[in-house]
Amino acid sequence: MDVKDFDYDLPQELIAQDPLEDRSSSRLMVLDKNTGAVEHHVFREITQYLRPGDCLVLNNTKVIPARLFGVKEGTEAKIEILLLKRKENDIWETLVKPGKKAKPGTKIIFGEGLLVGEVIDVVEDGDRLIRFHYDGIFEEILDQLGQMPLPPYITHQLKDKKRYQTVYAKHEGSAAAPTAGLHFTPELLDEIRAMGVEIAEVTLHVGLGTFRPVKVENVLDHHMHSEYYRIEQSEADKINRAKREGHRVISVGTTSTRTLESAADEQGYLTAKSGWTDIFIYPGYQFKVIDGLITNFHLPQSTLVMLVSALAGREHILNAYKIAVEEKYRFFSFGDAMFIADLNEGKK
């Protein structure tokens, strides 16, 4: 399976640089995963495709202001770091730019000494393990000094940190937002609940894999980075009940999808569980849990395009993306959304 099989042409001007004022006013492409048929809506009209008994699964991770700018101790050399994973207490795995200035033993000063990072090791892919020294509470210092880790294709400054956060974000730990959830407002979620749709929450802390392209020609040679996930028994029960009663499980985002498919048994049922997943979903994968997916439009040749292709077929996805380009949909993190499902099951 060649990575070029998942390529498409995207004009630069279709990459959304800013979030819309009203989260739920983004556009929504609805794709029938069986036929490839496409319909065009506004996101808040997702309610037309949900029905009582469905279970909508959200990823309630919270993005931390994980991008820090500092200087190398004793010099004026600027160093940027991105916090990826907390390994233990004050030791984090980080992405450092420029890496050549961050050899083991290097100290990096942030906020004129409010926070000091010491490089203690170089690990996989050149990431650095950094031990932080500070007085006070790390999260408060991070909130003061850190910036939201927007993807590299977003060049505009984010005016409001909350806009790179879902309205239901709870558990801090992500280096990127689960962007499919950015379209929901509290009012829309209330409307969905009032319809008799069950809402379950899982947690997956989104890591570096979100930023890294597939660099191998053969998709099967790609190595996914591991990410931490957690499912509580109360939420597993909601998902299991929907499955048992013949209702649909609809995942909000590829991160929720990866969590569910990692944690489920062979029959697609869940119990309380936490751990690390490096699941890689590409065409040929048989989904155990999810029936439908709400997602954004993803980067060419990315693992996320491969995941949605596993659900709806590569030809249907690439054709839908071609239509999205022609119709001038907005792409990527702050862009428009897609709902992928069997529409014969879902439309009222």
Side-chain angles (χ1 to χ4, degrees):
M1 203 179 308
D2 197 310
V3 68
K4 293 188 183 68
D5 292 340
F6 300 91
D7 199 13
Y8 68 91
D9 292 323
L10 179 68
Q12 195 78 12
E13 65 269 17
L14 294 186
I15 299 174
Q17 292 295 324
D18 302 288
L20 296 180
E21 194 158 327
D22 174 6
R23 291 172 182 261
S24 64
S25 67
S26 54
R27 294 168 75 186
L28 175 70
M29 176 183 282
V30 178
L31 172 66
D32 189 310
K33 68 179 184 179
N34 296 330
T35 67
V38 162
E39 299 175 15
H40 305 284
H41 291 269
V42 175
F43 188 79
R44 68 178 70 90
E45 294 169 351
I46 188 72
T47 52
Q48 294 179 24
Y49 294 90
L50 302 176
R51 64 183 190 208
D54 284 346
C55 185
L56 196 64
V57 184
L58 314 176
N59 179 8
N60 62 16
T61 188
K62 194 169 190 177
V63 187
I64 59 173
R67 181 163 275 133
L68 289 161
F69 297 90
V71 293
K72 185 174 178 179
E73 185 181 52
T75 73
E76 293 183 3
K78 292 178 180 173
I79 294 181
E80 174 188 342
I81 74 164
L82 180 65
L83 303 176
L84 300 175
K85 289 180 201 163
R86 187 175 227 145
K87 304 299 278 189
E88 56 180 273
N89 295 331
D90 295 322
I91 297 175
W92 286 74
E93 183 175 337
T94 68
L95 176 65
V96 178
K97 291 196 298 189
K100 62 176 185 268
K101 289 182 180 170
K103 296 181 172 65
T106 300
K107 288 190 174 175
I108 308 164
I109 313 299
F110 305 96
E112 298 181 342
L114 201 57
L115 184 67
V116 177
E118 181 186 356
V119 180
I120 57 174
D121 200 3
V122 180
V123 292
E124 189 181 5
D125 290 323
D127 294 346
R128 266 63 175 171
L129 288 186
I130 293 182
R131 178 184 283 113
F132 288 99
H133 305 275
Y134 54 90
D135 290 322
I137 299 169
F138 181 76
E139 286 73 17
E140 290 181 0
I141 294 169
L142 191 61
D143 202 46
Q144 189 177 335
L145 299 180
Q147 293 185 11
M148 279 304 197
L150 294 179
Y153 49 75
I154 293 177
T155 57
H156 290 191
Q157 193 74 33
L158 184 64
K159 292 172 187 163
D160 179 1
K161 279 184 183 180
K162 290 179 187 163
R163 293 314 308 275
Y164 193 57
Q165 206 80 270
T166 63
V167 297
Y168 47 80
K170 285 180 189 165
H171 303 297
E172 292 188 331
S174 276
T179 53
L182 295 178
H183 305 283
F184 287 93
T185 63
E187 296 78 16
L188 181 56
L189 288 168
D190 286 344
E191 187 182 341
I192 289 168
R193 285 189 190 94
M195 294 171 58
V197 174
E198 187 80 81
I199 294 183
E201 296 186 9
V202 299
T203 305
L204 180 135
H205 293 320
V206 189
L208 183 61
T210 298
F211 295 100
R212 283 205 167 132
V214 177
K215 292 180 178 174
V216 292
E217 281 185 28
N218 185 348
V219 167
L220 306 185
D221 293 335
H222 178 68
H223 170 63
M224 290 285 283
H225 280 71
S226 61
E227 295 166 312
Y228 178 80
Y229 73 89
R230 184 179 185 87
I231 301 176
E232 302 290 351
Q233 189 60 51
S234 59
E235 308 310 290
D237 290 343
K238 294 176 186 176
I239 297 159
N240 293 340
R241 184 164 55 246
K243 287 193 73 66
R244 208 167 38 243
E245 295 177 358
H247 300 297
R248 299 176 305 166
V249 176
I250 296 167
S251 178
V252 176
T254 56
T255 59
S256 299
T257 300
R258 294 178 66 244
T259 303
L260 296 175
E261 296 295 323
S262 298
D265 65 19
E266 286 309 307
Q267 284 69 49
Y269 288 95
L270 298 154
T271 55
K273 201 170 185 182
S274 65
W276 296 84
T277 179
D278 60 359
I279 190 171
F280 181 16
I281 296 174
Y282 51 84
Y285 180 84
Q286 297 297 311
F287 288 89
K288 297 178 288 189
V289 186
I290 75 158
D291 303 292
L293 171 64
I294 296 169
T295 189
N296 279 22
F297 291 90
H298 304 295
L299 277 75
Q301 299 189 20
S302 65
T303 60
L304 304 183
V305 168
M306 295 169 197
L307 186 153
V308 294
S309 295
L311 184 62
R314 186 180 70 91
E315 292 78 10
H316 288 166
I317 289 294
L318 291 182
N319 182 58
Y321 274 48
K322 181 170 175 285
I323 293 169
V325 169
E326 289 166 358
E327 296 290 328
K328 295 193 165 28
Y329 273 68
R330 300 161 72 249
F331 278 68
F332 306 162
S333 295
F334 287 141
D336 296 317
M338 178 186 270
F339 176 49
I340 305 169
D342 177 349
L343 297 194
N344 286 327
E345 284 186 334
K347 195 170 184 182
K348 292 188 279 190

